[in-house]
Amino acid sequence: MTAAEHHIVARQPSTPGSPEGAGPSGPPGSSGSSGSSGSSGSTGSSGSSGDGDGTPPQDRRRVIRRRLITLTIIVLLIGIPAGYLVISAGQSRRSGKDKEAEAAAQGLREDWPSGMQRRIFELPVPGNAIGVQYYETNNWKASRMYVKFRTTSAGLDRFLSGVGTGRAALETGKVTIGERDIKITGWYFGPGVDWAGTVHKNKAPRPTQNITVNMTDPAAPVVYVVSAATP
């Protein structure tokens, strides 16, 4: 066969995206299936990330740490004030005992208590009193005023009336000053003395007076009184 007898076949144009030389024909739907598979793969990978709202789950250790910090703060807020109150109460108790020991070491003061002290402890010492002695102690439980003086029979009546009681309340042979106060003052309430005593109680915060009188010489009685006020 000669060259003139060959049929000339026109070159087919190549489609975009196809390798050069590939024919126009191909498996039906190959292009569509390729596109849909890529689309579905992209969609699947996008939906699988996150927990639905795009927020990653919290770190458990961070949550535990935050709770521990909160608990520590609460304990400190409650514990520190409570500890301070306990310490303050202990210090006040020790301070009161120290003051009482100091007063006992110094002994009764040879002087009149001030007008304010007499009003606070409701001790109307008569103006004709002689040999007046006193001292005051204070602690977290109570404040006490110790007073001793000699007066006349009429002065004793004025004193008892000013306190709010009377001679009829004095019980013969009775000592109303307790052992604790005797140790602090060094007062003597032994035998051989005509003692008479009474306790005049008031409603708190007014003071209560423990009164004991040496009636050996009725014309010149000696009065011992402890007035205790509760804060």
Side-chain angles (χ1 to χ4, degrees):
M1 180 182 295
T2 63
E5 295 175 339
H6 285 284
H7 294 286
I8 297 174
V9 179
R11 184 175 180 179
Q12 299 295 327
S14 59
T15 55
S18 300
E20 189 169 347
S25 61
S30 62
S31 173
S33 99
S34 170
S36 88
S37 73
S39 173
S40 69
S42 171
T43 304
S45 65
S46 172
S48 64
S49 65
D51 56 0
D53 60 356
T55 303
Q58 284 191 325
D59 186 352
R60 182 174 179 79
R61 288 177 295 179
R62 184 178 302 171
V63 174
I64 294 174
R65 188 184 306 115
R66 185 164 60 247
R67 289 178 179 175
L68 287 175
I69 292 173
T70 302
L71 180 60
T72 302
I73 293 173
I74 293 173
V75 170
L76 290 176
L77 290 175
I78 296 175
I80 291 177
Y84 176 78
L85 289 175
V86 172
I87 293 172
S88 297
Q91 289 176 343
S92 298
R93 189 181 298 110
R94 289 192 298 271
S95 176
K97 290 181 179 179
D98 292 342
K99 287 181 179 179
E100 288 184 355
E102 181 180 354
Q106 293 176 352
L108 292 167
R109 181 179 301 178
E110 298 281 347
D111 200 354
W112 282 61
S114 69
M116 180 176 292
Q117 288 173 316
R118 280 176 276 162
R119 285 193 298 272
I120 291 174
F121 290 96
E122 299 186 19
L123 294 173
V125 180
N128 65 350
I130 60 174
V132 180
Q133 300 176 337
Y134 84 96
Y135 68 79
E136 178 184 356
T137 62
N138 299 282
N139 60 36
W140 67 287
K141 284 185 177 180
S143 297
R144 287 179 173 83
M145 174 67 71
Y146 301 84
V147 176
K148 174 187 175 183
F149 61 89
R150 183 184 293 273
T151 186
T152 62
S153 179
L156 175 60
D157 288 332
R158 288 197 302 272
F159 171 73
L160 294 173
S161 175
V163 168
T165 183
R167 192 184 289 259
L170 295 175
E171 296 183 36
T172 302
K174 185 173 184 179
V175 174
T176 59
I177 309 296
E179 289 295 329
R180 174 183 176 279
D181 296 321
I182 291 174
K183 289 180 180 178
I184 291 175
T185 59
W187 290 337
Y188 171 80
F189 297 105
V193 178
D194 293 334
W195 300 111
T198 186
V199 177
H200 179 68
K201 295 183 179 181
N202 288 306
K203 186 176 181 180
R206 292 182 61 193
T208 292
Q209 294 89 8
N210 287 53
I211 303 168
T212 299
V213 184
N214 180 346
M215 297 293 294
T216 304
D217 183 355
V222 179
V223 178
Y224 302 80
V225 55
V226 179
S227 181
T230 302

